[in-house]
Amino acid sequence: MTTASNINTMQDIMRLLDENPEWVGELRARLLSKELLETPDRLAKLTERTDALAAQVEALTRRTEALAAQVEALTRRTEALAAQVEALTRRTEALAAQVEALTRRTEAFMQKTEAFMAETNQRFEAIDARFNRIDASMKRIVDDLGILKGGHALSAAIRNAFLIASTMRLSWQRTLNAQEKFNLTGHVAIADIPPNELNSFIAADLIIEAKDAKGQVCYIAAEVSFTVNGRDTSRAIRNAELITRFTGHPARATVVGIRCDDRVSDAIANGEAYWYRLTDEQMQVE
């Protein structure tokens, strides 16, 4: 056993400690303070905390890097979206400019159209006025022609009164003038005859005195028109009845003209009136 007399150097102390390891703890307790003795445990715990903190820092770093990547991706998406918004804004502005230009063109076109329509309406109104004047002139011309044609037909009928009588198997004696027609009324009372009918009789187109095959006096009450209608037929029949009343002699209702309408056909067919058609030759002015 090593004694104190054998310990002369530090190597001797170290050898004793190697030989007696249990002395190391006692020596350490003697030589070191409590704090120093607890330092290894503290260092171990600190190391553990440091390692945990490092792990947390590493995890935080990874999360930060992931967040940075997300931020970068979001930034790129935001920039792309901003670029799209800017492009859309430019397109919208361009479209707005086109719409504004189109609006101006449309307004200009509408103004021109309205001016054109107003001018056109004025022209149509002027044309309508001209047509109205033309229609009025044509109506006057037609009326005048009707009078001329009627007068021309009446002249032709008077000139050919003997032929009218001849076609009815009668012999013409004379054509009565207005005075002679009025004189026919002198032998009978005429108070019951309406004035308009009496005036119409005196103004009759053609009254012919004739004789039949037996030499008996008879009359022809003729109404003349370029185109004979139902009114002409009614007047002729009424005048023939008045002649018979005035004179006591038979009278035949006759209508004379170039043509007749359908309303005359029934009266002619049932023998109430006789139809004499003027020929083109008879209508010629001598």
Side-chain angles (χ1 to χ4, degrees):
M1 181 177 182
T2 302
T3 63
S5 60
N6 295 329
I7 301 171
N8 296 313
T9 63
M10 181 61 69
Q11 285 77 16
D12 294 334
I13 294 172
M14 297 303 293
R15 185 176 64 253
L16 287 173
L17 292 172
D18 291 337
E19 292 174 355
N20 302 282
E22 65 276 9
W23 292 359
V24 174
E26 293 179 4
L27 180 62
R28 182 181 296 118
R30 295 268 184 111
L31 294 176
L32 299 176
S33 64
K34 183 180 178 180
E35 287 78 9
L36 289 176
L37 290 174
E38 293 176 352
T39 296
D41 293 336
R42 290 180 177 178
L43 287 175
K45 292 180 180 180
L46 181 60
T47 299
E48 290 177 359
R49 293 181 62 188
T50 302
D51 291 342
L53 182 60
Q56 292 176 358
V57 170
E58 184 178 359
L60 181 61
T61 300
R62 288 195 298 271
R63 291 180 63 187
T64 302
E65 290 176 350
L67 181 60
Q70 291 177 356
V71 170
E72 184 178 358
L74 181 60
T75 301
R76 289 195 299 270
R77 290 180 61 187
T78 302
E79 291 175 350
L81 181 60
Q84 291 178 355
V85 170
E86 184 179 358
L88 181 60
T89 300
R90 289 195 298 270
R91 290 180 62 187
T92 302
E93 292 174 350
L95 181 61
Q98 292 177 355
V99 170
E100 184 178 358
L102 180 60
T103 300
R104 290 195 299 269
R105 291 177 60 187
T106 302
E107 290 176 351
F109 174 75
M110 290 300 295
Q111 291 176 353
K112 290 182 179 179
T113 301
E114 290 174 356
F116 173 76
M117 290 300 296
E119 183 180 354
T120 302
N121 287 334
Q122 291 177 353
R123 290 181 178 178
F124 274 120
E125 289 175 358
I127 292 173
D128 286 340
R130 290 181 181 177
F131 273 117
N132 290 335
R133 291 195 296 271
I134 292 172
D135 286 342
S137 298
M138 290 298 296
K139 186 178 183 304
R140 288 194 297 270
I141 292 172
V142 169
D143 292 342
D144 292 344
L145 284 176
I147 294 172
L148 290 174
K149 290 191 295 184
H152 192 44
L154 179 57
S155 297
I158 292 173
R159 289 196 306 271
N160 293 277
F162 68 98
L163 286 176
I164 297 173
S166 177
T167 56
M168 299 173 68
R169 301 287 192 271
L170 299 174
S171 175
W172 176 87
Q173 299 299 306
R174 62 181 178 139
T175 299
L176 277 63
N177 58 32
Q179 181 63 51
E180 290 170 333
K181 285 184 285 186
F182 178 76
N183 291 340
L184 291 179
T185 68
H187 304 291
V188 295
I190 59 174
D192 62 328
I193 301 175
N196 62 315
E197 291 187 8
L198 186 59
N199 292 335
S200 177
F201 171 75
I202 296 172
D205 289 337
L206 183 62
I207 301 295
I208 300 172
E209 182 182 321
K211 288 184 178 181
D212 61 16
K214 297 179 179 181
Q216 298 295 320
V217 175
C218 62
Y219 291 90
I220 300 172
E223 288 296 311
V224 184
S225 291
F226 194 87
T227 300
V228 178
N229 55 37
R231 187 172 56 181
D232 296 319
T233 306
S234 297
R235 282 201 302 262
I237 294 173
R238 184 187 62 201
N239 290 339
E241 293 173 350
L242 288 175
I243 290 174
T244 300
R245 174 180 174 178
F246 296 152
T247 66
H249 296 292
R252 300 183 184 182
T254 305
V255 287
V256 181
I258 300 297
R259 62 179 68 91
C260 64
D261 62 21
D262 295 337
R263 289 172 294 180
V264 181
S265 301
D266 291 341
I268 295 173
N270 60 29
E272 290 183 282
Y274 178 80
W275 156 244
Y276 181 86
R277 183 185 181 281
L278 293 170
T279 65
D280 293 339
E281 292 77 9
Q282 291 171 333
M283 289 293 293
Q284 296 296 324
V285 179
E286 296 180 351

